Every structure is written in structure tokens, then in C-alpha cells.
Amino acid sequence: MVRVPLTEDERERGERLGRALRTARAGRSMVDVAAEAGISVETLRKIETGRIPTPAFFTVTAIADAVGLPLDELRAAVAPAGSPPLSQAS
């Protein structure tokens, strides 16, 4: 299987995702959050640093649940500036 290279926008979105999740994790350890989300610490580290810029939806929701970050807030944090609100997105 050949993986299509990510665009610059996709890489930047992955970095925004990682920052948002890292900020929401606040003072909690990666070990605690990863265990609660049911993922490895290395996977969490890669997502938070943008090395996995397009993680699976269920992985993202598990992390967001573990850190208490509502998905609508996560979407707002990850969306590029000037994006329409979720209710207006197609």
C-alpha cells in the first residue's frame, strides 16, 4: 500500500491537534492519560507532537474523553482560522 504524502495543511492540522490535546492534558501524566484512553504512551506522544497528524477518530475521541475535552471544543481548536462554525460546515 502506497501512502499519499500529507499536504502542509494536513501536517499543520496535526500539530494543532497535538497542541490542543497536550494543553487539555494539563498537569496529568502521559502515562495516566494513555492508560485511561486505552492507547500506548508512545501513540499519545506521537499525536501530541504531530508525528501522527491523522490519528484514527476513535483514538482522538478516547483521548479527548480522557482529558475531559468536548469534541466541539477540540474541533474549534484544530480548525484553521476563519473556518465556519460546526453548524455551518458542510
Side-chain angles (χ1 to χ4, degrees):
M1 180 173 126
V2 175
R3 187 171 276 200
V4 178
L6 297 173
T7 66
E8 186 62 30
D9 288 341
E10 290 168 327
R11 273 187 243 119
E12 288 173 3
R13 185 181 59 220
E15 291 171 4
R16 289 190 303 271
L17 172 65
R19 276 193 303 274
L21 293 172
R22 188 171 49 252
T23 298
R25 181 168 56 84
R28 293 183 60 193
S29 75
M30 288 182 125
V31 173
D32 290 342
V33 171
E36 188 173 334
I39 62 172
S40 71
V41 174
E42 187 59 22
T43 296
L44 180 58
R45 182 181 344 281
K46 287 178 180 179
I47 292 169
E48 284 190 357
T49 60
R51 289 180 45 217
I52 300 178
T54 58
F57 174 76
F58 294 105
T59 301
V60 173
T61 59
I63 298 168
D65 285 346
V67 298
L69 180 61
L71 290 180
D72 57 342
E73 289 181 26
L74 181 58
R75 183 208 180 263
V78 173
S83 292
L86 186 56
S87 61
Q88 295 176 4
S90 46

